[in-house]
Amino acid sequence: MNKPNYPVDLHTHTVRSDGNDTVQELIDNASEAGMKAIALTDHDTRPPETIRIEDGSLISPVDYARSKGLIFIPGIEYSCDTNVDDVHIVGLGCNFHDPAIVKTENDAEQSKMQGYKKLTEILCENGIHVSWDDVLNGTVPPRKPEEVQRKHIFEAIAQKGYAESWDKAKIMVRDNPVFNVRREKIDPLEAIRVIHAAGGIAILAHPHLIDEQVSYKNKQIARYEYIEELIAAGLDGIEACYPYEKTSYKGKWSRFEVEREIKNRYSGRLAVISGGSDYHDDGKKGVLKPRFIGECGVSWEYFVNNPLLKRFV
């Protein structure tokens, strides 16, 4: 197991979206690594109220993590903006029973099933024979249609040899207009509003995965101008520390250069300068250099002293 670089990781995933750990495994792995706090931020999916542990009993993940000496922060990562790729808003500490939060989960589930099934049909029509059945039944146990994430399709493409890896498959699909099926996603401004109404903190994940130029409100604007729109809508934070070189990042900066740029531009303007590994435990699927818990994150001192984050301590 890799030794974490940071004791607090505010961006992780489990099998509840496109990760490979159960929630218990995530907590166990984080505890074993010596982490002090982690946030579970599965895609468009509310965190569980309880988990079933090895002895068969049900326990809240917060309590289970506490028994391991770990702070567990319930969160969600919204895939936002139908027309701009990789705009993800993390919501931490929401009331996940809030009706608007529940509705966003139901809406995303329906949108994903329709959009991702259509994508597999288009792939097959164009010589990339990855069917909807491949995506559903290519794992043990099989997936339910409502559980499918876009990354699962990229993994299937790589598994069948059409791309070297899931991230190369993502770039192949993203950059080919024929494959670029646009499913309906929540507007990022609405995601911020919903998160705030449910008492949560809204953080923009991996900002440099957003293209340098994007189309917004029928005009081309720079990435930083797009982010200004989110700030004007009440964005609380932005992810600075992130393992870009292990993702579909197309830029030329190192993760450290990106982190420095984000901190220089937004420190003092946003309440939270966040960090997270975007951990999926991809090593279980043979990824050679998977992201690991605590690879990126924030310091304990920052976490306990930040006015918005210290509520979780």
Side-chain angles (χ1 to χ4, degrees):
M1 178 175 290
N2 290 291
K3 182 179 179 181
N5 301 322
Y6 297 87
V8 180
D9 189 333
L10 299 176
H11 189 167
T12 71
H13 296 279
T14 70
V15 293
R16 292 173 60 81
S17 62
D18 58 353
N20 298 294
D21 282 350
T22 65
V23 178
Q24 181 184 349
E25 288 173 331
L26 170 67
I27 293 170
D28 289 344
N29 289 339
S31 174
E32 184 180 342
M35 297 295 292
K36 292 186 175 181
I38 57 167
L40 172 60
T41 55
D42 276 322
H43 294 286
D44 307 302
T45 302
R46 293 178 296 151
E49 289 187 64
T50 60
I51 57 174
R52 190 174 298 278
I53 58 176
E54 292 169 353
D55 66 5
S57 62
L58 289 174
I59 185 173
S60 81
V62 173
D63 289 341
Y64 181 72
R66 187 181 296 118
S67 75
K68 299 276 184 175
L70 182 71
I71 294 171
F72 178 89
I73 303 168
I76 191 168
E77 183 178 5
Y78 282 117
S79 301
C80 305
D81 201 324
T82 299
N83 298 307
V84 181
D85 287 324
D86 287 314
V87 179
H88 292 184
I89 306 291
V90 167
L92 301 180
C94 302
N95 169 15
F96 289 103
H97 294 288
D98 184 280
I101 293 275
V102 176
K103 183 177 186 301
T104 62
E105 182 180 59
N106 293 336
D107 289 348
E109 189 176 278
Q110 293 301 313
S111 172
K112 287 178 179 181
M113 283 192 289
Q114 295 168 9
Y116 297 161
K117 184 177 182 181
K118 180 65 175 177
L119 173 56
T120 61
E121 292 170 356
I122 291 174
L123 289 170
C124 290
E125 289 169 2
N126 287 273
I128 298 177
H129 298 289
V130 174
S131 69
W132 186 238
D133 185 69
D134 290 331
V135 176
L136 295 180
N137 297 307
T139 60
V140 178
R143 296 187 186 97
K144 298 176 182 177
E146 62 270 21
E147 294 173 338
V148 173
Q149 304 289 327
R150 200 160 179 246
K151 187 183 176 189
H152 295 146
I153 298 175
F154 303 146
E155 289 173 344
I157 292 171
Q159 186 178 20
K160 286 208 163 188
Y162 294 106
E164 181 182 343
S165 58
W166 75 265
D167 51 324
K168 297 293 194 301
K170 176 180 177 179
I171 292 171
M172 178 183 74
V173 171
R174 183 184 65 190
D175 293 349
N176 187 331
V178 174
F179 301 146
N180 209 348
V181 176
R182 294 291 182 182
R183 75 169 182 87
E184 286 298 317
K185 299 178 184 177
I186 187 172
D187 182 272
L189 308 189
E190 175 65 6
I192 293 169
R193 188 197 68 76
V194 168
I195 290 167
H196 284 167
I201 300 167
I203 300 170
L204 177 64
H206 43 59
H208 276 233
L209 288 187
I210 302 171
D211 286 342
E212 289 187 35
Q213 294 288 321
V214 300
S215 178
Y216 184 69
K217 295 182 178 178
N218 297 316
K219 63 179 181 179
Q220 290 293 119
I221 63 173
R223 175 174 56 220
Y224 78 87
E225 294 177 289
Y226 184 88
I227 294 172
E228 289 298 323
E229 296 281 342
L230 306 183
I231 293 172
L235 187 72
D236 297 304
I238 192 166
E239 196 169 52
C241 184
Y242 182 81
Y244 282 97
E245 73 280 7
K246 294 182 175 181
T247 68
S248 58
Y249 174 58
K250 296 191 295 183
K252 297 180 179 179
W253 289 3
S254 71
R255 71 161 71 169
F256 305 106
E257 290 171 318
V258 173
E259 182 176 359
R260 184 163 55 248
E261 192 273 340
I262 294 296
K263 287 182 174 179
N264 287 341
R265 187 182 289 270
Y266 300 107
S267 291
R269 296 191 59 211
L270 290 172
V272 178
I273 303 299
S274 189
S277 65
D278 204 355
Y279 168 80
H280 289 70
D281 203 359
D282 283 334
K284 286 183 175 178
K285 291 186 175 177
V287 173
L288 296 180
K289 293 183 178 180
R291 293 163 283 191
F292 59 89
I293 299 173
E295 179 172 5
C296 289
V298 300
S299 71
W300 179 249
E301 292 72 24
Y302 182 82
F303 181 66
V304 298
N305 290 306
N306 181 276
L308 292 189
L309 296 178
K310 66 182 182 182
R311 65 188 268 195
F312 302 116
V313 178

